[in-house]
Structures are given as structure tokens and as C-alpha cells.
Amino acid sequence: MSLRLLTVSALALGLVAAPAVAQDARTEAQAAVIRDAALKSNVALDYVTQITTRFGPRPAGSRSEQQAAAWAADYLRAQGFQNVRIEEFPLVGWERGEDSGAIIGAHPQPLVLAALGHSPATPRGGIEADVVRFTTLDDLRAAPDASVRGKIVYVDLGQMHPMQDGSGYGPQTRVRGAGPGVAAAKGAAAFILRSVGSDENRLPHTGTTQYVDGKATVPSFALSAPDADQVSRLIALGEPVRLRLSSTARTYQTHSQNVIGDLPGATRPDEIIVLGSHMDSWDQGTGAIDDAAGGAITIAAAKAIAASGQRAARTIRVVLYGSEEVAQPTRETGNGGGVYARNQGAAVEKHVIAGESDFGADRVYALRLPAGAQGSDFQKAANRVLYPIGVLSSSQVETEGGVDVGPLGPLGVPFFGLAQDGTRYFDLHHTANDTLDKIDPAQLSQNVAAWAGLVWLIADSDVDFRALRQAAAAAPSAR
Amino acid sequence: MSLRLLTVSALALGLVAAPAVAQDARTEAQAAVIRDAALKSNVALDYVTQITTRFGPRPAGSRSEQQAAAWAADYLRAQGFQNVRIEEFPLVGWERGEDSGAIIGAHPQPLVLAALGHSPATPRGGIEADVVRFTTLDDLRAAPDASVRGKIVYVDLGQMHPMQDGSGYGPQTRVRGAGPGVAAAKGAAAFILRSVGSDENRLPHTGTTQYVDGKATVPSFALSAPDADQVSRLIALGEPVRLRLSSTARTYQTHSQNVIGDLPGATRPDEIIVLGSHMDSWDQGTGAIDDAAGGAITIAAAKAIAASGQRAARTIRVVLYGSEEVAQPTRETGNGGGVYARNQGAAVEKHVIAGESDFGADRVYALRLPAGAQGSDFQKAANRVLYPIGVLSSSQVETEGGVDVGPLGPLGVPFFGLAQDGTRYFDLHHTANDTLDKIDPAQLSQNVAAWAGLVWLIADSDVDFRALRQAAAAAPSAR
């Protein structure tokens, strides 16, 4: 029996209910109207300008993040969102303090670096040690402990290659996450890596490193690209390179919060579409692209729908999550996305779909739908709405959602993805250079228009993405 | 009597000697050979790589500048330069120490800034004051003292426009030089300006500010472009903006030095051509483009001539000047260029011409000659050598030379100029981003080739630029 026959049989036998996928022509026409109005709206630029200017950096659990959340709740109310609320949760915050580094010895030179998130402080006065350099994490893993003990381990992966889909990031960020633990297990004194980034600026890219067994490992730093290359060149010149590294980082008990606002559905308000982004930022920049832009895009998209004078059937919910950046993957609490998902209880079953905007402010180039929606009438309608503004329908299934909406996945919520152009994202990501001036208003508007058109289409339809996914899973040949 | 007739009469009466301008065909052919060999040489990239990697930043008078000078003298000897010597001179050095700034009040935010060179320290704990903003220096000059007294004066000139010839710099750098003195005279507590630069990086552009009556004025800082714009936006939002500014800058007695090396002339070794650049750099970057590149270009150009197996008639002298960046225009000492010129004594009369390379490492696009050389056979020969690598003959007369060779001007030495493309120079200038990776090896090679071809042509000819200039001055209609 072929797979194809199996599928036909399963459907014929009524084992899988055929889900509703038809799109109402009036809904689709309205999507185009909303899309075009969103292109002309200035709400996104207003939001990202105000939050980054008024509050500057918004590290998770900081007073600045808390104040920005209170302000954002007022902003949502002023834009007409209802049931606006702040969902508070406890957090172990991390504060950079002062960090510094230098090449010491005969020809001392300062180094531009930044401690990684949740890196522990050095002893007062810093750590002084020789550098031992690796070009892969595997080489470090294979090194005898004696060659590393007491030294500063340096992993130099070279420049991250810029890609439209950001796919250069994964391999490098895994080194940032796991490298310090590997170095610590071998008795290293500290860990440094070449910044995970695609630029050549004297601006280090921070980012969180992972705990091992629930604890921080060794003091860990990202060197800016030119500084990392300088250290590598000095080693290549045959000079023994000795560094002094210092950090006064600390952790502290605090709280963070999610900010939630709804545009209640007209006819099926219990069915919820979640539009996620995060409120916190790294401490070096003002978090314009990471991720005030995500809040700006989702708020402006929902506002464009509200401003159209039409109410969608379903509820559109904007969630500005707290504490995305410093979340430890192994930790149960301390991440706004996890808190939101757990607090939903049974209501999570009425979450129709969730999407996340957390990849800058440049244009959207592809729509990714959950399994089962490929080739559906819904995808065809979405394509007709989005293709005119440069968004293609991707055959890639959206399974992850993102760090913030991700915890809804295991609870059964499907995801959509509006893939953004990440070509220049990692020039700026997690650096002091993540500031308002990096946002291109024209690309931001296109991004909002893509969200507005798609979200309206979902919110005013009866398409059941859970059922589509279930049907696809039961009918393997359809994949 | 028309001016034209006057000229003819003056020449006819033998009042002005007709200077030698003929170019030897063999010399010109050899210039093309040297030019093409220089395009393939790697001396410039080697020099700029080694000096920036080994010594990092080289502030005037620092141990690093002194060590780099000793190393560069050895480098010149190894390249075959003769009579290599170090000309030491006393200097008041300026050391940044630590500087910091922040917006204070309800929504505190850090600011990225850098103290200006020769700015005095703040009191311990810093200065706290409200900001009063101006968009021109004239507006500040016109402001009543009472509106400024005790405040932090902020001059926001907006972004410097990038231009090929760097002409956007002058108006802005005048504000950096004179602004603090104007603010101080009105009783201001401190002075800040938007960085003089064409980029949008979180990297402030430092640079020296001027003493008034031989003394430093008020603590003065350049804000990075995004930080300057953030302050301006907060003011535009109607918020009173209060800052805390801190600097531990200090001056100290030290010495700097010029490094001098010759390729002696074969037949007229007392006739000297000076190729100038500077050894010192600002403290934030490693001074790759400002001005290790200048040393690299002039050394490599001379070396390309030496490596050709031909000796020029005249002496080619490379001078790596100390202490260019912190020179005070009103001060007699403390600038390597002034020291060199004064120490020449009568020998300055045999300085045929001088040129300076201090505008980065990008390509040369124009040749500027002294007055009287426009339209000469020498210019025509130079054009034939340089045009094939993209260098046009400019009708603009070179009168300034540059900060380093400039003091030779009042002593009668003419100047040539090889104008470099400055389109991206002020993205990097005086910032931490002035590092080796910003150098484009292909453009650097073209630059060296232009210098090598032109310098050979001057050094192996009998063209007398002083006489050409004198003839032009005596015959106004020729201009």
C-alpha cells in the first residue's frame, strides 16, 4: 500500500476531520486595505523612538525595564488596547558593573571587550594569565587539561558570515553558550571569544553564557572583532600574549514583567492570536533593533487593524515579554515567555496561533506557516495579500516560534513566522550600536504592513491551524 | 597696459629667470616602471600591520610612541634607508585617564563620550549640570552669559557630510577647537559637542581643543553620534536634560621624537625632498589610518624607488613626525613638524619640495602642485605617469602641505599634494574604530604607486619648484 493510498483511505474513513480552510473574500479584501494603511502609519516609528529615547537600555529586571513596562502599558491603553495588564515575575538579574581588559607585558595595549551575560566577576584587580587560542570548540574539548589549566582560553571562530536568514548565528552562539563551561571544566582561569557578529567595529557583542549545574562558570568576555584579530595577530607574530581581565558583574534579586494588551474579538473573543516581542534589551545599546522594534511592529500592526474600523472575529493579543535576553535555557523561571505560557492554564487551548517579532526592523521577506498549512487556501490568500509587498510564501514549516512564544509550543500552540532580512542584523546585535538611528523607516513600515495584513487574515478567519497540523501529522504523504 | 603685456615685458626684460622645467624621457619611463612595481609591493601593508599590532595606540609622548619610534628607525634601516636618526624634543603630554558621562534624573542612561585632547579633568565625582543646546557656534556666541553660566554647553552641528576631499571637516573642527573657550568665557561648567564625524557608530571622535591664553578652558567632550542625537531628542520631547560628566585627564612632562631616514641622492644629495607623515595616534584606536598608513605609504614609495636599482639625483627623505595630534596651534614647541623645520637651519634652503600623507589609506585621486607648476612640462609628465592609475592633475594649487610639513612653508619650501579619497575617512577618524582592518590593501597599493611614481619624477629631475613659484608670483597674468 502506497503512502498516497493510505492518506486517501484515512480521509475516506473519516479518521481525520477535514479542517476549515476557506478564506472569506471580504476578509481578504480588507486585509489588503489594512496592509496599505499600515504602510503609511507612523505608530511603529513613534513607539520605538519613544521607548529607546525615554528609557535607554532596559536590562531584564532593571528599574529601566520596569519603568518602560509601565509606560508601555499606558501606551497600549492610549492606542485603544483593552484589558491591558502587567504580569510580574521574580528574576535573578545580572548587572555588568565595570569590565576592562588589556594586553600586558612589554607593549601594553587596551582591549575593547564586554563580559557575557551571567558571567561571574573576576577577583578584585582582575585575572592575569597567558592566552591559549583555539579556532573551534572541538579543539578546546580535545585539548589536554594541562595545556589550559590556569590560562585564559580564547576561541576565535573568525567573522560570522552575514546571511539573509541569520543562519550564521547558530554555530557561533553555541560556542558563546557552552565554551566557558568547557574551559572551566579543564581548569581555565577565564574565557574569551571573538564577538559573535558580522561587523568590524570596536564594539563587542555581548550575550548570555550558560550555567553548568545551575551555576556560573569562569569570567567570560567577548572581544570586539578588531581586538580579537589583534590578539590573534600578536600570537601569529610569535609573541606570548598575556592579558589582564577584570569584571565587577553581579547578580541580584529583582522582578521583571510581561505587558499584555488585547484587541478583543468581535464574535469569538476567546480565540486568541499572540503577537510576541520582548521589552528587555542588553545594557550596552538602547535595544532599538533588539527588540523595541518587535514591540513597535506588533503594536503598530494591531493598531492598523483597530484603526480600520473593522473588528476581527478573534482576539489579537500583543505581549511585550520581560527578560528574554538573560534567560537560561535550563531554568524554569526567569523568562517572560515561560511565565506567560504557564499562567495561561486552560486558556492556552484557545490560543489559535502565535508569532514573534525579534529579528530587527528590516523588511519581511517570507511567510512560514505551521505544518499542514502549506498549499492550503489560507496560504494562498496570505500569499495574495503579502506578495505585493515583497513577501514570499515559504515551504519551510514554522516549528520554533522564537524564545518568547516558544514555551507555548509544547502546550499545543502552532506558530507562524514572518522572516525578516537579517543581512545587517548581526552587525549591530547585542552591541552598543543597537540604537534608533539604525532603523530604516521604510523597511519598518513594510514590516508592519506584512504583520497587519497577515494578522487580520488570521484573526478574521475560521482557519484552525491545530486541526491542519493534526491532519498533516496523520497523513504523512501530504508532507 | 594690460596684465598680459606686463608679463611679457617682465620676462623680456629678464627680470624673472626662466626656471628649468624639462623632464628627461628616461626619468619619465623609469617612473612608470617604479609605479608598476610599487603596485605589487607589500611593504606598506607590512609596516602598518606591524606598527599597529605591536604598539597599539601611540599617543604623543607616551612610552608606546617612543617604543614605536625606536622600532620604526630599525625598520627604516632594514629597508636600506641611510643616516637614520631620531630627533627628540620635549612635550607636554595629555593622558585621557577615565572619562564617563550619563543622563541623570528620572530616567538615567549612560552616554558614550570621549574627552577632547587637552581638556582638563573634572573635579573628582564629576560635574552635574543642566544642558543648554546650540546648533551653531555663532548662536553660542550670541547667547547672554546668564543663559549659559554654570551649565553644560552642547553644540550640535548635526552629522558631518562625507566628501571626497574631506571638506566637511573644517567647519566642524573649528567648533571643537574654539567652542570650549567661548563656553568658558561665558561661565559654562563644561562643553560637549556631537562628534565631528560622518558615521553613526557608538564611538566618539576625539581631537584636540584649543587653549586660551596658553591654558586649558573647561572640561570638554565629544558625544558619539547616537548619544548626541539621543540628548537632542530628549530635549525635543520637552524633558529638561541633566548630565553627569567625569574625566580624570592630566598633562605631564615627557618627550616625543621625529624619525628621519634618507635615500641619498646620486648626484645632488644636498637637494632634499621631504615625505612626511606622523607616528603618534589618538589613544582610542591603533591609528591605522591616522596615520600609520602615511608612514607605510611614504616608506613603501621610497623603498619601491630604492628597489628599482636606480638612484635618483636628489635625496628622498622620509620623516615620521612625533606629536601631530595634540599640537596646539599657538604653541611654539610640542609639534614634530615645527621642531624639524627649526632644526634644519640653513639646510632648509635646499629642501626642494615637501609632501604629506595624512588622510587615511584610500586611493589617491588628484595631484596638486605648487604655484607656477600648473601647465608646466613637469605637470604634463606627472600626468602621464599618474593618470593610468586614476590620478588627475588638479588645477588647485597646493599651499598648505599639512600640519607636519606645514612649518616648512614660511621657510620657503614649496608643497605637493596627492589628494586621497576621504569619503569614509571621517567615519573612522579619531575613534576607537581606527584599526588595521579598515585598510583596503588594493587602495593602499594604488596610493603607494602614486607616491612612488611622482617622488621618483621629482627626485630624478632638475625642476626647481621655488623658481617656478617665484616666476608665477612675478607674472600675475600667468595665474
Side-chain angles (χ1 to χ4, degrees):
Chain A
M1 204 201 268
S2 76
L3 283 173
R4 187 172 162 276
L5 286 175
L6 173 67
T7 308
V8 170
S9 307
L11 285 170
L13 290 167
L15 295 177
V16 182
V21 290
Q23 283 305 300
D24 180 84
R26 197 192 50 80
T27 294
E28 186 181 323
Q30 180 65 12
V33 171
I34 289 168
R35 173 200 70 200
D36 293 343
L39 273 176
K40 300 191 189 89
S41 154
N42 61 3
V43 172
L45 196 59
D46 177 66
Y47 175 86
V48 70
T49 300
Q50 288 213 48
I51 195 169
T52 60
T53 303
R54 291 182 184 279
F55 303 99
R58 303 171 300 284
S62 68
R63 185 97 186 91
S64 174
E65 189 207 28
Q66 293 161 2
Q67 289 180 326
W71 173 88
D74 287 340
Y75 193 92
L76 287 175
R77 286 183 197 105
Q79 295 293 338
F81 286 79
Q82 295 185 33
N83 194 22
V84 175
R85 57 224 184 262
I86 291 181
E87 183 179 44
E88 215 174 278
F89 55 91
L91 180 74
V92 177
W94 180 84
E95 211 172 59
R96 175 176 309 282
E98 302 287 327
D99 45 26
S100 66
I103 298 167
I104 56 175
H107 300 303
Q109 304 177 27
L111 290 173
V112 178
L113 49 68
L116 299 180
H118 278 291
S119 164
T122 61
R124 185 186 293 259
I127 290 169
E128 289 188 11
D130 291 335
V131 170
V132 52
R133 176 176 175 269
F134 301 91
T135 55
T136 72
L137 191 56
D138 284 344
D139 288 348
L140 168 60
R141 286 203 173 97
D145 290 7
S147 69
V148 164
R149 193 171 299 124
K151 301 226 165 101
I152 294 168
V153 163
Y154 170 31
V155 179
D156 178 3
L157 292 169
Q159 190 178 41
M160 183 193 145
H161 300 298
M163 302 276 176
Q164 190 180 35
D165 67 356
S167 51
Y169 184 58
Q172 297 217 345
T173 194
R174 282 191 281 279
V175 173
R176 188 185 74 208
V182 175
K186 291 178 183 287
F191 178 88
I192 59 177
L193 85 164
R194 193 185 193 277
S195 276
V196 177
S198 47
D199 63 304
E200 290 287 347
N201 288 315
R202 240 26 223 293
L203 296 167
H205 297 241
T206 191
T208 285
T209 187
Q210 289 164 17
Y211 287 179
V212 174
D213 300 330
K215 289 166 104 170
T217 61
V218 286
S220 303
F221 303 83
L223 269 61
S224 92
D227 293 85
D229 294 345
Q230 181 87 332
V231 169
S232 292
R233 269 195 308 271
L234 270 174
I235 293 170
L237 282 171
E239 306 273 346
V241 177
R242 196 169 171 82
L243 305 184
R244 182 186 300 122
L245 301 172
S246 170
S247 159
T248 63
R250 70 179 190 109
T251 55
Y252 66 109
Q253 275 297 337
T254 181
H255 72 268
S256 181
Q257 58 283 309
N258 301 323
V259 180
I260 306 167
D262 292 344
L263 294 182
T267 55
R268 283 168 279 139
D270 57 330
E271 297 184 12
I272 292 161
I273 298 151
V274 171
L275 317 187
S277 67
H278 64 89
M279 169 67 70
D280 64 315
S281 76
W282 276 105
D283 57 335
Q284 303 189 111
T286 63
I289 66 155
D290 188 13
D291 183 28
I297 290 162
T298 53
I299 291 168
K303 173 71 184 176
I305 292 168
S308 74
Q310 304 278 324
R311 276 180 71 188
R314 291 161 163 167
T315 291
I316 299 167
R317 175 169 296 168
V318 167
V319 188
L320 307 168
Y321 293 95
S323 184
E324 188 262 3
E325 293 293 3
V326 293
Q328 287 285 331
T330 55
R331 211 190 288 178
E332 282 300 299
T333 59
N335 164 246
V339 169
Y340 174 86
R342 274 191 303 283
N343 285 353
Q344 285 306 303
V348 82
E349 285 165 33
K350 300 298 275 182
H351 280 55
V352 171
I353 198 164
E356 184 164 321
S357 177
D358 185 15
F359 202 54
D362 282 350
R363 73 183 187 90
V364 172
Y365 68 90
L367 168 64
R368 299 184 186 133
L369 291 173
Q374 279 67 30
S376 68
D377 288 347
F378 178 82
Q379 192 193 39
K380 288 171 190 160
N383 189 57
R384 286 189 295 270
V385 173
L386 298 180
Y387 186 88
I389 57 168
V391 182
L392 304 184
S393 287
S394 172
S395 59
Q396 191 175 329
V397 170
E398 181 66 47
T399 56
E400 303 287 330
V403 171
D404 287 318
V405 300
L408 292 169
L411 305 177
V413 182
F415 300 122
F416 68 88
L418 285 163
Q420 288 180 230
D421 192 322
T423 309
R424 64 184 190 122
Y425 184 67
F426 291 104
D427 290 352
L428 309 168
H429 179 249
H430 293 189
T431 73
N433 238 357
D434 179 359
T435 48
L436 180 64
D437 51 288
K438 308 311 183 304
I439 289 183
D440 172 354
Q443 292 198 66
L444 179 65
S445 293
Q446 184 267 11
N447 200 312
V448 173
W451 275 79
L454 179 74
V455 168
W456 165 261
L457 213 52
I458 296 172
D460 200 47
S461 82
D462 59 358
V463 62
D464 181 344
F465 291 104
R466 293 182 189 234
L468 283 176
R469 190 171 58 180
Q470 203 182 337
S477 73
R479 300 284 300 270
Chain B
M1 204 201 267
S2 76
L3 283 173
R4 189 173 160 275
L5 284 177
L6 172 67
T7 309
V8 170
S9 306
L11 285 170
L13 289 167
L15 296 177
V16 182
V21 292
Q23 284 304 301
D24 181 83
R26 197 192 52 80
T27 294
E28 186 181 325
Q30 180 65 11
V33 171
I34 289 168
R35 174 200 69 201
D36 293 344
L39 273 174
K40 300 192 189 87
S41 154
N42 61 4
V43 171
L45 195 59
D46 178 66
Y47 175 85
V48 70
T49 300
Q50 288 212 46
I51 194 167
T52 60
T53 304
R54 291 183 186 278
F55 303 98
R58 301 171 303 285
S62 69
R63 184 101 187 90
S64 176
E65 189 207 28
Q66 293 161 1
Q67 290 181 327
W71 173 88
D74 288 341
Y75 192 92
L76 287 175
R77 286 183 196 104
Q79 296 291 337
F81 285 79
Q82 293 182 34
N83 194 21
V84 175
R85 56 221 184 265
I86 291 181
E87 182 179 46
E88 216 174 279
F89 55 90
L91 180 76
V92 177
W94 179 84
E95 211 172 59
R96 175 177 308 283
E98 303 286 327
D99 45 26
S100 66
I103 297 167
I104 57 176
H107 301 303
Q109 305 178 27
L111 290 174
V112 179
L113 49 69
L116 299 180
H118 278 290
S119 164
T122 61
R124 185 184 293 263
I127 290 168
E128 289 188 12
D130 291 335
V131 170
V132 52
R133 176 176 177 268
F134 301 91
T135 55
T136 70
L137 191 56
D138 283 343
D139 288 347
L140 168 59
R141 285 202 174 99
D145 291 6
S147 69
V148 164
R149 193 172 298 125
K151 302 228 166 100
I152 296 169
V153 163
Y154 170 30
V155 179
D156 178 4
L157 292 169
Q159 189 179 39
M160 183 193 143
H161 300 297
M163 302 278 174
Q164 190 180 32
D165 67 355
S167 52
Y169 185 57
Q172 296 216 343
T173 193
R174 280 191 281 279
V175 174
R176 188 186 74 209
V182 175
K186 290 178 182 287
F191 178 86
I192 59 176
L193 85 166
R194 193 184 193 276
S195 276
V196 177
S198 47
D199 62 305
E200 290 287 347
N201 287 315
R202 248 6 235 295
L203 296 166
H205 297 241
T206 190
T208 284
T209 186
Q210 289 164 17
Y211 287 181
V212 173
D213 300 330
K215 289 166 105 169
T217 60
V218 286
S220 303
F221 304 83
L223 270 61
S224 93
D227 293 84
D229 294 345
Q230 181 87 334
V231 169
S232 292
R233 269 195 307 272
L234 270 173
I235 293 170
L237 282 172
E239 306 272 345
V241 177
R242 196 169 172 81
L243 305 185
R244 182 187 300 121
L245 302 172
S246 170
S247 160
T248 63
R250 69 179 191 109
T251 54
Y252 66 110
Q253 274 298 335
T254 181
H255 71 269
S256 182
Q257 59 285 306
N258 301 322
V259 181
I260 306 167
D262 292 344
L263 296 182
T267 55
R268 281 170 278 141
D270 57 329
E271 296 183 10
I272 292 162
I273 297 151
V274 170
L275 318 187
S277 67
H278 65 88
M279 168 68 68
D280 64 314
S281 77
W282 277 104
D283 58 334
Q284 303 189 113
T286 63
I289 65 155
D290 188 13
D291 180 31
I297 290 161
T298 52
I299 292 169
K303 173 71 181 175
I305 291 169
S308 74
Q310 305 277 324
R311 278 179 71 188
R314 290 162 164 167
T315 292
I316 298 167
R317 175 169 296 168
V318 167
V319 188
L320 309 168
Y321 293 94
S323 184
E324 188 263 1
E325 294 292 4
V326 292
Q328 286 286 330
T330 55
R331 212 191 287 177
E332 283 299 297
T333 59
N335 164 244
V339 169
Y340 173 86
R342 274 191 303 282
N343 286 352
Q344 286 306 302
V348 80
E349 286 164 32
K350 300 297 275 182
H351 280 54
V352 171
I353 199 165
E356 183 164 321
S357 177
D358 185 15
F359 202 54
D362 282 350
R363 74 183 187 87
V364 172
Y365 70 89
L367 168 64
R368 297 185 188 136
L369 291 174
Q374 279 68 30
S376 67
D377 287 347
F378 178 83
Q379 192 192 41
K380 287 171 189 159
N383 188 57
R384 286 190 294 270
V385 172
L386 298 180
Y387 187 87
I389 57 169
V391 182
L392 305 184
S393 287
S394 172
S395 60
Q396 191 175 330
V397 170
E398 181 66 47
T399 55
E400 303 286 329
V403 172
D404 288 317
V405 300
L408 293 169
L411 304 177
V413 182
F415 301 123
F416 68 88
L418 285 163
Q420 289 181 228
D421 192 322
T423 309
R424 66 187 188 118
Y425 184 67
F426 292 103
D427 289 353
L428 309 167
H429 180 250
H430 294 188
T431 73
N433 238 357
D434 179 359
T435 48
L436 180 63
D437 51 287
K438 307 310 182 306
I439 288 183
D440 172 353
Q443 291 198 68
L444 180 63
S445 293
Q446 184 266 8
N447 201 312
V448 173
W451 276 79
L454 178 74
V455 169
W456 166 263
L457 211 53
I458 296 172
D460 200 47
S461 81
D462 58 357
V463 62
D464 182 345
F465 291 104
R466 292 183 190 235
L468 283 177
R469 192 172 55 179
Q470 206 181 336
S477 73
R479 302 282 301 272

